[in-house]
Amino acid sequence: MTDEPLLLRALRLAPTPRPPIWLMRQAGRYMAEYRAVRERVSFLELCRRPRLCAQVMADAVGRLDVDAAIIFSDILPILIPLGFDLDYLPGDGPVIRNPLRSGDDPARIPAAVDSDRMSFVFETVAETRRVIPREKAVIGFAGAPFTLASYAVEGGSSRLFTRTKTLMRTAPELWSLFMDRLADAVAESLSGQIASGADAVQIFDSWAGALAPDEYRMFVAPHTERLLARLKGKAPVIYFCAGNPALLPEAARLSADCLGIDWRISIQEACRVVGPKFAVQGNLDPTVLLTDKKTIRAEAARILDAVGRRPGFIFNLGHGVLKETPVENAVELVRAVKEFAVSAS
Ligand code: 1CP
């Protein structure tokens, strides 16, 4: 199939004429078009308007000419049908007004979420697929159980994850139940996104790096695997476990198809640790996009050189685009990756 999107070929470790590229958080506040939309609608309202979400992502994909469109949505709204009172405050980011506490009755966590309450996400996938050219992949996404649990327990963003780690260690039964319920809710969401047209899905474990490998193995890996097992055979899965390269050997025991790599480890070393069974995605430090065209080109070339012809490499940043990023620098990166790969072949 020659019209198969490059990203999908890379995800099944097939040869590609050049590595596909897309950027985590490629739509958002660094783009004037997005800021204009946000002057008119609140963030949560935007997430609930599939046509507007599709347009925001189509604008970003058009501007950058990347090979994939991740849907415009967020990891946190799934907490609403699980009984959490979520809001986004200007400047402060997400807040959860009724966080989970160690003494809480486990009965407060619903046994299953009604997938009707996630239908806006499914519609966003379908709309995005409709407006994005066929040769580009559409990626659905969700938060990983640990990262979602961290928001639900801390009540918002956190730096040290003190309450999360305390609950995990002092109320392990409540923790395990909650992590399973999160895994099931996320499986439901991602399965619905795949059924609505997502070609692949990414699971963001943005804050797992707060854990040591033993803790990850004990308190997190079984629940991540429960989620991955439920997605097996439905569509390729990218697992992005950020923040601590010492967790990569743990991630490489799970049944994802591709592992996301942050910038804290060299791409050669990451490829060595994860072995040949996984596609790999990453790993340019997002702050490189705050420099100049020459530096951006040199850093992109360095990563491409280091990866060589390994099958299943997807160029991306090591984490999301920073809001200070000049859009033309992101455009330059995409151009450089495409040119460099062509001139190298
Ligand atoms: O306009 C605004 O002020 C809202 C800012 C914003 C945006 C643009 C939020 C709130 N979410 C999003 C969109 C979003 N979030 C996308 C869509 C696609 C895109 O931007 O290209 C995606 C993939 C996410 C995923 C997400 N949300 C993650 C995982 C990725 C990562 O960066 O690690 C996380 C941790 C969130 C939580 C979240 N939502 C919003 C903010 C500001 C945050 C982070 C807060 C924190 O630092 O804890």
Side-chain angles (χ1 to χ4, degrees):
M1 256 205 312
T2 47
D3 58 352
E4 184 186 18
L6 278 184
L7 181 97
L8 296 183
R9 285 188 249 170
L11 283 173
R12 54 183 184 78
L13 301 173
T16 53
R18 62 168 176 81
I21 172 168
W22 67 280
L23 308 179
M24 289 187 276
R25 308 296 290 261
Q26 61 195 8
R29 275 186 291 184
Y30 80 112
M31 280 198 171
E33 295 89 334
Y34 174 78
R35 292 195 300 271
V37 170
R38 281 283 284 102
E39 278 180 18
R40 295 186 279 121
V41 286
S42 75
F43 179 66
L44 261 180
E45 192 193 332
L46 170 56
C47 289
R48 291 192 173 113
R49 286 178 54 180
R51 289 181 60 181
L52 198 49
C53 287
Q55 185 207 317
V56 163
M57 190 47 71
D59 285 348
V61 168
R63 185 84 196 272
L64 300 170
D65 200 17
V66 281
D67 297 304
I70 191 163
I71 59 162
F72 189 90
S73 189
D74 196 38
I75 63 167
L76 298 173
I78 201 168
L79 294 176
I80 300 170
L82 283 162
F84 293 93
D85 178 4
L86 167 72
D87 205 354
Y88 294 86
L89 302 181
D92 294 338
V95 285
I96 284 130
R97 297 204 178 81
N98 55 346
L100 186 73
R101 293 288 182 243
S102 9
D104 284 0
D105 183 351
R108 77 169 271 195
I109 309 160
V113 296
D114 180 359
S115 61
D116 283 356
R117 295 185 68 187
M118 307 192 256
S119 60
F120 61 92
V121 183
F122 307 153
E123 282 165 36
T124 294
V125 173
E127 275 298 315
T128 307
R129 186 61 284 177
R130 207 174 59 76
V131 299
I132 294 289
R134 268 280 136 205
E135 71 274 12
K136 298 187 192 283
V138 169
I139 306 173
F141 76 92
F146 176 79
T147 289
L148 292 173
S150 81
Y151 284 98
V153 174
E154 304 291 337
S157 305
S158 177
R159 201 165 58 87
L160 296 173
F161 304 93
T162 315
R163 285 180 187 275
T164 310
K165 291 187 192 180
T166 305
L167 187 142
M168 184 173 96
R169 296 193 187 108
T170 60
E173 284 176 9
L174 179 65
W175 172 260
S176 175
L177 175 85
F178 186 42
M179 289 286 281
D180 275 347
R181 297 278 161 84
L182 286 167
D184 293 348
V186 170
E188 185 77 18
S189 171
L190 291 178
S191 301
Q193 293 182 44
I194 295 164
S196 306
D199 299 302
V201 292
Q202 174 153 326
I203 299 168
F204 285 93
D205 220 345
S206 307
W207 313 127
L211 300 172
D214 282 350
E215 289 173 319
Y216 181 88
R217 196 177 309 129
M218 188 155 25
F219 294 110
V220 177
H223 309 283
T224 316
E225 187 55 37
R226 177 184 175 105
L227 161 62
L228 291 167
R230 277 166 202 230
L231 299 172
K232 209 71 225 158
K234 294 186 177 172
V237 181
I238 306 166
Y239 177 52
F240 175 56
C241 180
N244 181 1
L247 298 182
L248 268 184
E250 307 305 321
R253 287 200 190 97
L254 304 175
S255 44
D257 300 280
C258 176
L259 296 177
I261 310 295
D262 71 21
W263 68 88
R264 297 171 181 89
I265 181 169
S266 75
I267 197 75
Q268 300 97 301
E269 180 62 6
C271 289
R272 195 189 61 72
V273 172
V274 310
K277 283 197 309 229
F278 292 91
V280 290
Q281 171 177 285
N283 79 333
L284 183 72
D285 187 330
T287 59
V288 169
L289 292 186
L290 307 181
T291 62
D292 53 83
K293 293 190 172 167
K294 191 160 166 263
T295 311
I296 292 167
R297 296 186 84 86
E299 290 295 302
R302 202 176 49 76
I303 290 176
L304 288 166
D305 270 342
V307 175
R309 296 195 161 271
R310 182 195 198 277
F313 176 64
I314 299 163
F315 201 105
N316 206 317
L317 302 179
H319 210 141
V321 177
L322 298 165
K323 67 175 187 311
E324 303 83 357
T325 304
V327 177
E328 57 280 14
N329 285 358
V331 172
E332 184 66 15
L333 171 67
V334 177
R335 201 183 291 139
V337 167
K338 291 180 179 176
E339 282 172 18
F340 187 94
V342 168
S343 63
S345 61

